[in-house]
């Protein structure tokens, strides 16, 4: 059966496999790796990259991506007893349940082990929590 997007026709015997929102790809030799979200240790404040996750290890500020596209995902794990702050970029809001920040507002964890996964909705420039553990203050 053909995929929903139609049949594929390789060019020069090659197919390009690209990650869409929430998915990244990498290849080496004959190995293709597909990741939903790549997790890295984060030991400093930074601007988050879309479709990435971070084990934050200290009192750091994490700023959401400036130009995300619909459906992109970010994940933050507060692996510290310190406060982790996630801030929306210019014009962006963050929704956790029925609470929402002001534009470029922020959320903070309440305890070590708090986790949040945010998904971007372009129509509202809103990062929406689609899962997590613990509590995040808006």
């Amino acid at each position: 059966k053909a995929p929903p997007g139609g049949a594929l026709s390789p060019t020069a015997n090659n197919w390009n496999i690209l990650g869409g929102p929430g998915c990244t790809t990498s290849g080496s030799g004959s190995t293709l790796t597909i990741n939903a979200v790549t997790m890295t240790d984060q030991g400093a404040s930074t601007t988050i990259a879309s479709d990435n996750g971070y084990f934050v290890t200290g009192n750091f500020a994490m700023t959401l991506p400036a130009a995300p596209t619909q459906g992109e995902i970010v994940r933050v794990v507060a692996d510290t007893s310190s406060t982790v702050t996630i801030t929306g970029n210019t014009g962006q809001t963050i929704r956790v349940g029925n609470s929402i920040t002001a534009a470029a507002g922020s959320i903070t964890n309440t305890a070590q082990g708090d986790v949040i996964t945010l998904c971007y909705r372009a129509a509202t420039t809103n990062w929406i929590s689609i899962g997590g553990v613990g509590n995040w203050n808006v």
Side-chain angles (χ1 to χ4, degrees):
K1 180 177 175 181
L8 296 175
S9 300
T11 301
N13 295 319
N14 290 309
W15 286 343
N16 292 317
I17 301 173
L18 307 174
C23 181
T24 60
T25 61
S26 61
S28 178
S30 62
T31 301
L32 170 67
T33 303
I34 300 172
N35 289 312
V37 173
T38 302
M39 298 294 296
T40 57
D41 289 338
Q42 187 63 40
S45 296
T46 192
T47 297
I48 296 172
S50 292
D51 299 327
N52 280 272
Y54 300 86
F55 294 106
V56 183
T57 60
N59 182 11
F60 302 125
M62 309 294 287
T63 303
L64 291 166
T69 60
Q70 176 91 352
E72 289 185 332
I73 293 172
V74 298
R75 181 170 294 136
V76 175
V77 178
D79 195 18
T80 177
S81 58
S82 298
T83 300
V84 175
T85 302
I86 303 171
T87 302
N89 221 303
T90 304
Q92 298 173 354
T93 58
I94 306 169
R95 176 179 294 280
V96 180
N98 64 357
S99 298
I100 191 165
T101 68
S106 61
I107 62 174
T108 56
N109 68 310
T110 59
Q112 186 167 1
D114 288 349
V115 179
I116 194 162
T117 301
L118 300 170
C119 183
Y120 187 72
R121 181 166 185 238
T124 58
T125 62
N126 186 246
W127 287 94
I128 300 170
S129 172
I130 58 170
V133 174
N135 295 299
W136 290 83
N137 291 326
V138 176

